[in-house]
Amino acid sequence: MDRFLIEGGKKLHGTVHVSGSKNAALPILVATLLTDEPCVIHRVPNLRDVRTTLKILEYLGKKITYQNNTVTIEPNGKLKNDLPYELVKQMRASFWVAGPLLARFKQAEIPLPGGCAIGVRPVDIHLKGFEKLGATCETKAGNVLIKADKLNAAKIVLRFPSVGATQNLLMCACLIAGETILENVAKEPEIDDVIAFLNDMGADIRVGDKGQLIITGVKTLHGAEHTVVADRIETGSYALAAAATRGDVTVSGCVPEHNAILWEDLQEAGFTLDIGPDSVHVHAYDGEIKPLRVRTAPYPGFATDLQAPWMTLMTLCNGTAEVDEDIFENRFMHAPELVRMGAQISTEKSLARVTGVKELSAAHVQASDLRGGFALVMAGLCAKGQTEVERVYHIDRGYEKLEEKLTALGANIRRYNPDKDEF
Ligand code: UD1
């Protein structure tokens, strides 16, 4: 299994261009199941989760061409409406095919995704929504069979603004006659991108004055071409890596307003930023990093996906910072690894207290999830000496060309596989 070897202690400098958003690309690719016409999607990051999604589309009966970040999806015979566990277990977001398949076939059989390292992650909000739309959901031998004689439009109030459930129900409702209203929905920019794509395919989705989604069903959707929005989590990750290494970096090709809270927090912590229309410049800063309290929340709140990289920055603050993780119940696995690198962190339930240290020390650590993995890479970039990060496959799920981009910013990082490569 691949590892990263990082020779830390170098300030990042230069410009890094962000890729298309993984979390927008995945549901947009899945949404192509709603049509039999070809779709072309640009700026699709070449990531493990994307490749898994393409495998799923192929399994379900699509023909895929993926070149230079552009995916062309064409019909390839009759679509299937089931998915094997082998594919679902690789990525929880596989469950999102349920909505389009239910809409098209009135039936979908999908293995229930299990929990994952960051929490239990049930799908009850998805299933309750499908039931409101007229389906029955029955779990047998680990699979959930969702079926309906007839689907009906409905008003659905989500008990929590789940990103996945909002997308699943949205995609399903596009092909249901009548007006479906989704309330208490997720408002992440990735949802807006999916809505833009679906509307380009001929769907009729409006955002109501209270933020509710109003979907007027149409008979069929047609093919469309779309460019995926910039990845706001990658944007925030590089800005935080720049700040933690006390570097001077411009993150370009992003949508700065999607990270508004992060920019406020970084500035409050002491950093100077230039926020342009599609770039953010983190200026070099050698002063004290002010400890802050951040609490993760649904968008536009502090993104849970940036909590781990933020924590790495706070390990170097002057005082004690607090991080409240309110979205996932077990998203502090990076904390003990950061402690192995000299950080002072104590956690109790959803709260982490981080007392800043002068510097981190290089160590051999293990990534146990995607964003926590990036937090360890960030710590390795800050710590003098050689840090080895194991289980890079987690990080490969979400950061396109990570070594290439960091190397271009002056970092010393390389991929190494102890089973294949000479040390
Ligand atoms: C998506 C993102 C992930 C991000 C998360 C929260 C993708 C591929 N992944 O994940 O990067 O961290 O949003 O911003 O876009 N929940 C339930 N029941 C449900 C659904 C969710 O209890 O039916 C809970 C989850 O366990 C979790 C919380 O709601 O505690 C948020 O989950 P959700 O918004 O659904 O996240 P995902 O869509 O899985």
Side-chain angles (χ1 to χ4, degrees), residues 22-24 26-27 49 91-93 96 118-127 159-167 186 188 190 232-233 297-299 303-305 326-329 331 370-371 397:
K22 164 180 91 75
N23 288 355
L26 301 184
D49 279 5
M91 187 187 66
R92 283 181 44 83
W96 299 352
I118 63 175
V120 181
R121 299 181 88 171
V123 287
D124 60 301
I125 305 172
H126 304 236
L127 299 183
R159 77 164 166 80
F160 177 85
S162 153
V163 172
T166 302
Q167 287 164 348
E188 271 66 2
E190 294 77 24
R232 70 191 163 100
I233 305 303
Y299 187 83
T304 170
D305 287 351
D326 274 357
I327 304 290
F328 290 105
E329 66 269 28
R331 207 170 193 179
L370 164 57
R371 307 302 172 184
R397 286 186 41 222

Side-chain angles (χ1 to χ4, degrees), residues 272-404:
T272 302
L273 308 179
D274 276 337
I275 302 176
D278 61 359
S279 67
V280 175
H281 181 171
V282 181
H283 286 268
Y285 170 66
D286 280 326
E288 286 180 348
I289 300 176
K290 195 176 150 204
L292 301 186
R293 175 170 192 165
V294 303
R295 175 181 224 120
T296 64
Y299 187 83
F302 193 99
T304 170
D305 287 351
L306 289 173
Q307 176 262 107
W310 175 265
M311 189 184 286
T312 298
L313 176 68
M314 283 297 120
T315 62
L316 298 166
C317 76
N318 181 35
T320 299
E322 289 185 332
V323 180
D324 244 314
E325 173 53 65
D326 274 357
I327 304 290
F328 290 105
E329 66 269 28
N330 188 26
R331 207 170 193 179
F332 286 149
M333 280 97 54
H334 46 284
E337 298 298 292
L338 289 172
V339 168
R340 300 187 64 251
M341 298 181 72
Q344 278 188 29
I345 305 170
S346 63
T347 57
E348 200 191 330
K349 294 190 178 140
S350 66
L351 183 69
R353 278 197 186 78
V354 188
T355 300
V357 294
K358 279 228 146 39
E359 54 181 24
L360 294 171
S361 48
H364 192 138
V365 289
Q366 265 193 21
S368 44
D369 68 295
L370 164 57
R371 307 302 172 184
F374 185 87
L376 298 179
V377 169
M378 243 176 93
L381 295 172
C382 297
K384 283 204 182 89
Q386 193 180 75
T387 289
E388 188 162 342
V389 182
E390 278 192 36
R391 303 198 178 172
V392 163
Y393 62 88
H394 287 295
I395 305 170
D396 289 338
R397 286 186 41 222
Y399 291 92
E400 190 180 41
K401 299 186 180 162
L402 180 71
E403 309 97 282
E404 218 173 281

Side-chain angles (χ1 to χ4, degrees), residues 46-221:
N46 190 352
L47 298 168
R48 200 156 67 91
D49 279 5
V50 165
R51 292 190 295 271
T52 304
T53 305
L54 297 180
K55 270 192 227 155
I56 287 171
L57 296 181
E58 263 175 353
Y59 172 88
L60 290 172
K62 295 283 191 183
K63 182 169 169 255
I64 309 288
T65 323
Y66 188 17
Q67 249 177 357
N68 301 327
N69 294 111
T70 291
V71 179
T72 305
I73 299 148
E74 292 166 283
N76 189 20
K78 207 169 162 280
L79 280 183
K80 287 188 196 155
N81 63 355
D82 69 288
L83 212 55
Y85 179 61
E86 218 29 61
L87 288 171
V88 174
K89 76 171 188 203
Q90 290 178 36
M91 187 187 66
R92 283 181 44 83
S94 325
F95 192 70
W96 299 352
V97 302
L101 293 182
L102 178 64
R104 294 208 59 189
F105 302 108
K106 312 284 175 289
Q107 179 160 329
E109 186 166 358
I110 322 274
L112 267 181
C116 67
I118 63 175
V120 181
R121 299 181 88 171
V123 287
D124 60 301
I125 305 172
H126 304 236
L127 299 183
K128 235 190 198 117
F130 291 141
E131 283 170 358
K132 284 258 178 180
L133 294 173
T136 55
C137 304
E138 194 190 342
T139 308
K140 247 195 212 157
N143 285 4
V144 56
L145 178 62
I146 309 165
K147 58 179 184 180
D149 294 332
K150 186 174 177 299
L151 292 165
N152 52 262
K155 177 174 159 181
I156 305 172
V157 183
L158 276 61
R159 77 164 166 80
F160 177 85
S162 153
V163 172
T166 302
Q167 287 164 348
N168 224 338
L169 298 173
L170 183 62
M171 290 191 276
C172 188
C174 284
L175 292 179
I176 300 177
E179 190 174 86
T180 292
I181 299 179
L182 303 179
E183 287 185 5
N184 195 29
V185 288
K187 296 186 171 58
E188 271 66 2
E190 294 77 24
I191 307 264
D192 292 341
D193 210 29
V194 177
I195 291 175
F197 178 59
L198 289 168
N199 281 340
D200 282 349
M201 292 172 83
D204 181 353
I205 305 166
R206 285 176 296 127
V207 181
D209 52 1
K210 295 190 183 82
Q212 76 275 34
L213 297 179
I214 305 162
I215 305 131
T216 307
V218 294
K219 275 215 160 65
T220 53
L221 293 180

